[in-house]
Amino acid sequence: MKIAAILHLCMTLFHQGYSNNLASCQGRCGYGTDSGYPCQCNTACERYNDCCSDYFTLCKDAATSCNGRCGENYNSQNPCHCNSLCSQYNNCCNDYTQLCNAASGATITDAELKSLSETLYTLDSNKASASQLVIDPQALVPDSQTSSQSDLSPGKLFKSLDENTLFSRPTYAALLNVLDNYKRMTGQAESFSSQQITEQETFLKETMLNTKLGRELYGFLYTKGIYGSESEFIEDLKNMWFGLYSRNNNVLDSSGFEHIFAGEIKGGKVSGFHNWIQFYLNEKRGVLNYYSHSFNGPWSNYPDVLGLQFMWDGYYKQVGSAVIGSSPEFDLAIYTLCYIARPGKQCRLSLGGTELIIQTYTWDNSSYGNGKKYIASAYPVSM
């Protein structure tokens, strides 16, 4: 008798649960009308007054909110959107700014960006001094002539560099180890050995955890609630900078680090290439020919900023802007800060009281983690 009662109770509970599932829009939003269900979960149900009780909560409210949707891929069926392009197309959900911009660093004010960048500028103890680095900018051309591919500078950009001092420092040495790990042609898949992956991790730890500059950046982002621990910070930088995506031929051929620090070739032109150390190394090897510059920052010491025209082993770069003389940790810090605070936008910093504008771009074709986007590019814009 007891067994029969238990079985009856189980069957009753089962049917109640099954009935409850049928009467819910969980997983059914937008589905066509189905007579097998006691209620419906599409826009027609509003007209016929047969919507499930949770229709408006699950299907209507959720569809017009960015809760859990920040960074999602574009879907034309959605009434509003939660990706980095929705502001441009004026179709963001009403809470996009509150939920998504805050998550991507929009709570960082312009004043905070300028204050922190001044601190990073002061803490850049590994930057090159005037005695360690001498450059010769030579020809200055207007923007209208940057595409002429005319070599107007007979000499090299870098006249001298104290390699023995600078390159022996841990952050420089770590950068050099990573720079030569890439195939510069897009469309050719990148792959890394365990040693090369270790080199990537060493670069992040040396620059961001083992320098006062890097720890200052982490401390700021920690107080903003963007990262809860150093390990979370480094893991996100590893994905953001070294995570692979495709720029050509649907193969994993690129990353933010490769594009910005090492440089790439795409469509017969130089793409990216915004690091002065990579420029120096290739010019020294004789595979890079400096042509001219289209803008020069107002700084009288390092770091400085130049907009460069050059030929890299047969491929031309119309404007390869770069911060000159800065340490690897400074470049990584300001680009990271700007990408987190102003993804896909201009980011206004301050160095020695002078404004520096960094343009960032997100890679919207793929993401990692909770809808986070890989960094596509970051570089100084014309002053």
Side-chain angles (χ1 to χ4, degrees):
M1 188 68 178
K2 290 183 179 180
I3 295 176
I6 292 173
L7 287 174
H8 176 74
L9 176 62
C10 290
M11 290 300 293
T12 300
L13 292 175
F14 172 78
H15 284 295
Q16 286 179 346
Y18 181 66
S19 177
N20 287 339
N21 287 336
L22 289 178
S24 171
C25 283
Q26 186 69 44
R28 294 175 54 211
C29 293
Y31 281 24
T33 300
D34 188 338
S35 60
Y37 289 87
C39 56
Q40 307 303 321
C41 302
N42 50 49
T43 55
C45 76
E46 298 179 54
R47 187 165 64 252
Y48 292 105
N49 197 30
D50 61 351
C51 300
C52 296
S53 60
D54 56 6
Y55 166 74
F56 288 94
T57 300
L58 294 181
C59 303
K60 293 294 292 267
D61 294 345
T64 57
S65 171
C66 284
N67 186 27
R69 295 173 55 201
C70 296
E72 68 179 6
N73 292 330
Y74 175 77
N75 183 340
S76 61
Q77 300 301 311
N78 292 335
C80 61
H81 306 280
C82 305
N83 55 54
S84 61
L85 295 179
C86 70
S87 298
Q88 177 181 337
Y89 291 98
N90 197 31
N91 58 11
C92 299
C93 297
N94 290 334
D95 56 6
Y96 171 77
T97 299
Q98 175 188 353
L99 297 179
C100 301
N101 277 359
S104 63
T107 53
I108 300 174
T109 67
D110 285 349
E112 288 174 322
L113 285 173
K114 291 185 175 181
S115 176
L116 178 58
S117 56
E118 285 288 4
T119 301
L120 298 178
Y121 178 71
T122 301
L123 290 175
D124 191 14
S125 59
N126 280 332
K127 66 185 177 186
S129 67
S131 63
Q132 293 169 329
L133 172 59
V134 179
I135 62 174
D136 183 12
Q138 302 168 80
L140 174 64
V141 300
D143 291 341
S144 60
Q145 294 184 20
T146 58
S147 61
S148 65
Q149 301 193 28
S150 300
D151 185 358
L152 303 177
S153 301
K156 292 183 176 181
L157 173 62
F158 290 91
K159 294 187 68 175
S160 65
L161 179 69
D162 184 356
E163 288 188 32
N164 291 334
T165 299
L166 292 177
F167 287 0
S168 63
R169 295 174 181 173
T171 58
Y172 284 83
L175 174 64
L176 296 178
N177 285 336
V178 181
L179 280 176
D180 62 0
N181 291 344
Y182 294 93
K183 308 179 186 76
R184 66 176 186 169
M185 291 290 181
T186 60
Q188 296 182 4
E190 299 288 358
S191 61
F192 304 112
S193 65
S194 58
Q195 175 62 35
Q196 290 172 331
I197 292 174
T198 298
E199 290 170 354
Q200 295 172 1
E201 295 169 347
T202 299
F203 172 71
L204 293 176
K205 291 176 181 177
E206 288 292 351
T207 54
M208 293 294 101
L209 298 184
N210 294 345
T211 65
K212 290 182 179 179
L213 187 158
R215 291 195 296 273
E216 183 72 21
L217 174 63
Y218 166 70
F220 174 80
L221 298 175
Y222 176 83
T223 61
K224 285 292 179 179
I226 296 173
Y227 298 109
S229 65
E230 289 184 347
S231 59
E232 181 186 351
F233 175 52
I234 294 299
E235 183 63 25
D236 193 45
L237 293 189
K238 184 177 179 181
N239 285 310
M240 180 193 306
W241 281 97
F242 292 103
L244 293 175
Y245 49 81
S246 177
R247 289 185 187 268
N248 188 21
N249 206 28
N250 293 320
V251 298
L252 298 179
D253 61 349
S254 184
S255 67
F257 179 89
E258 178 180 8
H259 182 82
I260 296 169
F261 282 84
E264 301 176 295
I265 303 298
K266 182 180 180 182
K269 299 178 181 179
V270 178
S271 180
F273 203 129
H274 301 290
N275 180 253
W276 73 271
I277 297 171
Q278 177 75 328
F279 191 108
Y280 167 79
L281 293 171
N282 281 271
E283 188 178 55
K284 179 183 177 182
R285 296 184 189 116
V287 296
L288 187 150
N289 186 9
Y290 169 67
Y291 280 8
S292 58
H293 66 285
S294 52
F295 64 88
N296 190 343
W299 295 275
S300 58
N301 54 10
Y302 300 116
D304 200 352
V305 176
L306 285 174
L308 306 166
Q309 291 74 55
F310 57 92
M311 190 71 75
W312 184 25
D313 200 19
Y315 299 94
Y316 186 64
K317 181 67 176 182
Q318 184 170 342
V319 183
S321 58
V323 182
I324 308 294
S326 53
S327 68
E329 57 265 35
F330 182 82
D331 278 14
L332 186 67
I334 63 170
Y335 291 149
T336 296
L337 171 64
C338 282
Y339 186 67
I340 291 173
R342 302 291 184 269
K345 301 176 182 177
Q346 288 193 347
C347 173
R348 297 181 179 274
L349 306 179
S350 180
L351 306 184
T354 301
E355 186 176 66
L356 171 64
I357 302 174
I358 302 295
Q359 176 69 53
T360 70
Y361 289 96
T362 63
W363 190 255
D364 285 327
N365 294 338
S366 57
S367 61
Y368 68 91
N370 185 26
K372 292 186 175 182
K373 300 295 184 181
Y374 299 104
I375 184 169
S377 192
Y379 54 82
V381 301
S382 179
M383 309 304 300

